[in-house]
């Protein structure tokens, strides 16, 4: 490339049309064609990347709403959605990244992105595992499972663990971590197909389809006659309320998300918090990016387990940026089976 | 006393008539006269005490109900109520206690008690402070404030602290501890008289009468424009819900009790738990008796502060066992001002 030459490419983008108030619909987004200069300005610390995989994550619903009190800014209507992704560096003005590096981190829902905020961008050094894993087990969702389970819940062998949304990007890992730790683990999910995966692929001791259980408190009492030591909460609401009635003494609840509440105008009431006192329980919310300094430690633990197939990971990969809006919307109705990813391009 | 002689004394008792379902009433208890042998059987490890002060504590409502899932057994209808108290040893078959020792711990609501469970009984070694303090600031409620605030909330200078039921046995101490720690502290209470005490006696920076505030969320926003770092929760319910909307990042909530919920058939729903995730907050329930090994450390801290009047303690002392049922019932309507104690006898 001659000095000063700037390649320009056409760039398909997924645009948020307007803020949403309840569940997002495909029609809240649209695809539009634009162009992008495939060059990072010298001294800018920016990188230009070609996006390979985009991650659909529950927190994104908050950025589609105009909320007062959220930990991150909402999307800008008329601009592309952003999220975690796996990408290849095309040009870099940042000393830590160079052309052809593979990276994962925050990027745009488009074919190519100019990334100016590289704080949460990690170089991918191990490519003997599927690249899409860096949008899941080897990326933010993997760290979320690892931190919530190991760091916040301090699991002990023989403890009783319950995971909701157990077939999702995070839950399937928590269940497998619990088994590695010698715990008894039960998962809930929203279809019989998912329940089957939990029991037969991820090795959960028990699993149930919450849509077929009229009384969560009774279900949990049946599956946990001794009570629950650790609850990895992905959903909040009624399930949390039932868990509170089934806690063991000194129980720990890691609150990773409350997806059942995100698209409700008025969140469900949780009535059984007095159990927190009775059972001397702890409930801890967390945001995984505060723990990214532990990523190397996590990689060291998880990579051998992937290679030895001691941990498996199920992905639901939508093909092509044009299918990204449907993939994202499907996350909030539980349509995906496993980690929802969008494959943008081929390498 | 000749060998083998056994003194028998008449013994007035407060009896629970039957289990209650909502707020207890005076008529749920009655006084009855009995007798007691003032002698502990050799080898029994028991002690016989004369009760001096009895403590009225919120947890006692649970023992008046027949609950399935509580940390301690319910009272037995027809038998005396039990609770914390200050007493003088009349006879002892326990190596750690001897005649004339002053003690605090679990005892009966009666003039004299035969105590067979001495695990939670502490010898009183400092009598230059009011003896009734061992039912409050120097007993279980004092430890509750100390553990919840210092051990569970790790307060930092300059942090923003909110205490509900702030004029009670525990709350008044938490507020003063917060000031000693260099925090900004606000308390809520149920009367203007209590609000006045909070501001002018206990040194809270601000205080409000929750009965005069139609919108707790707005009240807290006004009093905590920067948000709340530490919430010492004595009440649960609606106030907790409002606090959740006013948390700062990495907030800590010590859940000591949820008195507003104890006498409701259906506890109020808490709708804003998603804040636990957003704010990476921690909510920790605890039972103080799990921390009694730290009592000597607490005494070392608090005794000098009492002597130097750097910490004050307001008690509401009902006179005579015959007034004990009314004193206990009054706790659940907030009638008491300060720590509710019953003086049984004079020394």
């Amino acid at each position: 490339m001659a000095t000063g030459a700037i390649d320009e490419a056409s760039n398909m983008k997924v645009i948020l049309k307007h803020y949403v108030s309840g569940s997002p619909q495909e029609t809240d987004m649209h695809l539009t064609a634009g162009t992008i200069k495939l060059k990072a300005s010298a001294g800018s610390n920016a990188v230009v990347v070609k996006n390979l995989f985009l991650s659909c994550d529950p927190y994104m619903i908050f950025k589609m709403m105009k909320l007062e009190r959220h930990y991150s800014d909402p999307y800008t209507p008329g601009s592309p959605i952003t999220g975690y992704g796996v990408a290849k560096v095309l040009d870099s003005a940042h000393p830590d990244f160079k052309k052809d590096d593979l990276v994962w981190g925050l990027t745009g829902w488009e074919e190519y992105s100019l990334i100016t905020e590289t704080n949460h961008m990690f170089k991918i050094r191990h490519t003997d595992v599927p690249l899409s894993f860096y949008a899941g087990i080897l990326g933010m969702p993997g760290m979320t499972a690892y931190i919530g389970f190991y760091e916040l819940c301090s699991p002990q062998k023989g403890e009783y663990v319950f995971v909701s949304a157990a077939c999702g990007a995070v839950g399937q890992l928590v269940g497998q971590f619990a088994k590695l730790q010698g715990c008894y683990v039960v998962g809930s999910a929203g279809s019989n197909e998912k329940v089957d995966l939990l029991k037969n692929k991820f090795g959960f001791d028990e699993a149930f389809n919450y849509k077929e259980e009229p009384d969560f408190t009774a279900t949990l009492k049946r599956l946990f006659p001794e009570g629950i030591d650790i609850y990895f909460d992905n959903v909040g609401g009624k399930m949390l309320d039932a868990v509170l009635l089934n806690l063991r003494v000194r129980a720990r609840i890691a609150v990773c998300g409350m997806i059942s509440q995100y698209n409700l105008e008025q969140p469900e009431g949780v009535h059984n918090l007095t159990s927190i006192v009775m059972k001397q329980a702890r409930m801890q919310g967390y945001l995984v990016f505060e723990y990214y300094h532990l990523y190397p430690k996590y990689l060291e633990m998880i990579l051998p387990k992937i290679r030895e197939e001691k941990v498996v990971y199920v992905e639901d990969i939508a093909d092509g940026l044009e299918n990204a809006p449907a993939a994202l919307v499907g996350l909030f109705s539980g349509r995906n089976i496993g980690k929802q990813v969008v494959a943008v391009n081929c390498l």
Side-chain angles (χ1 to χ4, degrees), chain A:
Chain A
M1 197 183 291
T3 311
I6 295 174
D7 283 328
E8 201 169 77
S10 74
N11 194 19
M12 193 60 72
K13 303 156 187 267
V14 178
I15 303 288
L16 179 72
K17 280 196 220 166
H18 43 243
Y19 288 118
V20 305
S21 56
S23 281
Q25 307 298 320
E26 280 190 59
T27 50
D28 296 321
M29 295 162 265
H30 68 92
L31 269 86
T32 184
T35 58
I36 184 171
K37 289 177 184 164
L38 299 180
K39 183 80 192 156
S41 308
S44 68
N45 269 346
V47 295
V48 175
V49 300
K50 179 178 183 182
N51 292 309
L52 306 175
F53 294 100
L54 300 175
S55 174
C56 297
D57 293 298
Y59 80 90
M60 295 168 74
I61 195 175
F62 291 118
K63 295 179 76 80
M64 300 178 85
M65 297 172 166
K66 200 168 172 67
L67 290 178
E68 232 185 278
R69 43 181 207 89
H70 196 252
Y71 56 84
S72 76
D73 294 333
Y75 294 136
T76 309
S79 293
I81 284 171
T82 60
Y84 282 91
V86 178
K88 186 176 182 176
V89 176
L90 299 184
D91 190 42
S92 172
H94 193 291
D96 296 349
F97 303 99
K98 62 177 199 306
K99 186 170 183 311
D100 293 333
D101 275 351
L102 291 165
V103 294
W104 72 268
L106 289 172
T107 188
W109 276 38
E110 53 196 345
E111 290 174 284
Y112 302 96
S113 294
L114 171 73
I115 299 176
T116 53
E117 297 266 356
T118 51
N119 288 345
H120 290 174
M121 178 166 286
F122 298 85
K123 204 182 285 196
I124 293 173
R125 298 176 198 278
H126 306 273
T127 52
D128 59 326
V129 290
L131 259 189
S132 56
F133 275 17
Y134 289 93
I137 184 171
L138 294 174
M140 185 274 281
M143 275 295 283
T144 301
Y146 174 70
I147 295 300
F149 187 64
Y150 286 106
E151 293 288 317
L152 304 186
C153 292
S154 313
Q156 302 299 312
K157 191 178 167 181
E159 285 197 314
Y160 300 93
V161 177
F162 177 52
V163 189
S164 53
C167 209
V170 175
Q172 57 174 298
L173 288 175
V174 174
Q176 293 180 80
F177 293 166
K179 289 315 296 175
L180 289 173
Q181 200 68 12
C183 299
Y184 167 87
V185 61
V186 176
S188 65
S191 76
N192 293 338
E193 187 181 358
K194 291 180 187 178
V195 165
D196 184 63
L197 267 181
L198 291 177
K199 291 206 258 195
N200 299 316
K201 178 128 190 138
F202 302 128
F204 283 64
D205 295 286
E206 290 287 349
F208 65 93
N209 178 351
Y210 72 86
K211 291 178 182 166
E212 293 183 351
E213 299 290 331
D215 178 349
F216 295 164
T217 305
T219 305
L220 293 174
K221 202 175 286 285
R222 188 179 77 236
L223 294 171
F224 292 98
E226 306 287 326
I228 296 167
D229 291 297
I230 292 176
Y231 175 40
F232 196 96
D233 187 5
N234 286 304
V235 304
K238 279 191 198 123
M239 190 64 86
L240 173 59
D241 229 0
V243 167
L244 287 167
L245 293 181
N246 284 282
L247 291 181
R248 299 188 87 194
V249 168
R250 281 178 285 277
R252 288 86 72 202
I253 302 176
V255 193
C256 159
M258 293 193 167
I259 198 171
S260 76
Q261 304 302 299
Y262 291 171
N263 43 7
L264 300 180
E265 299 241 340
Q266 164 73 336
E268 287 167 5
V270 171
H271 296 270
N272 302 317
L273 283 170
T274 52
S275 291
I276 295 276
V277 189
M278 309 291 181
K279 299 299 182 180
Q280 309 170 57
R282 188 176 70 215
M283 189 184 235
Q284 170 87 60
Y286 68 108
L287 297 175
V288 65
F289 52 75
E290 299 276 341
Y291 295 86
Y292 278 165
H293 57 284
L294 297 175
Y295 182 60
K297 188 177 157 200
Y298 172 58
L299 270 192
E300 205 171 300
M301 181 278 264
I302 197 70
L303 277 169
K305 299 234 184 308
I306 295 173
R307 291 175 184 136
E308 296 159 22
E309 294 180 29
K310 286 184 179 157
V311 168
V312 296
Y313 199 62
V314 170
E315 299 170 295
D316 194 329
I317 303 188
D319 197 29
L321 200 61
E322 65 280 15
N323 293 312
L328 180 57
V329 165
L331 196 68
F332 297 100
S333 58
R335 207 179 52 194
N336 56 306
I337 293 186
K339 166 65 194 170
Q340 181 68 62
V341 179
V342 176
V344 184
N345 281 306
C346 294
L347 262 179

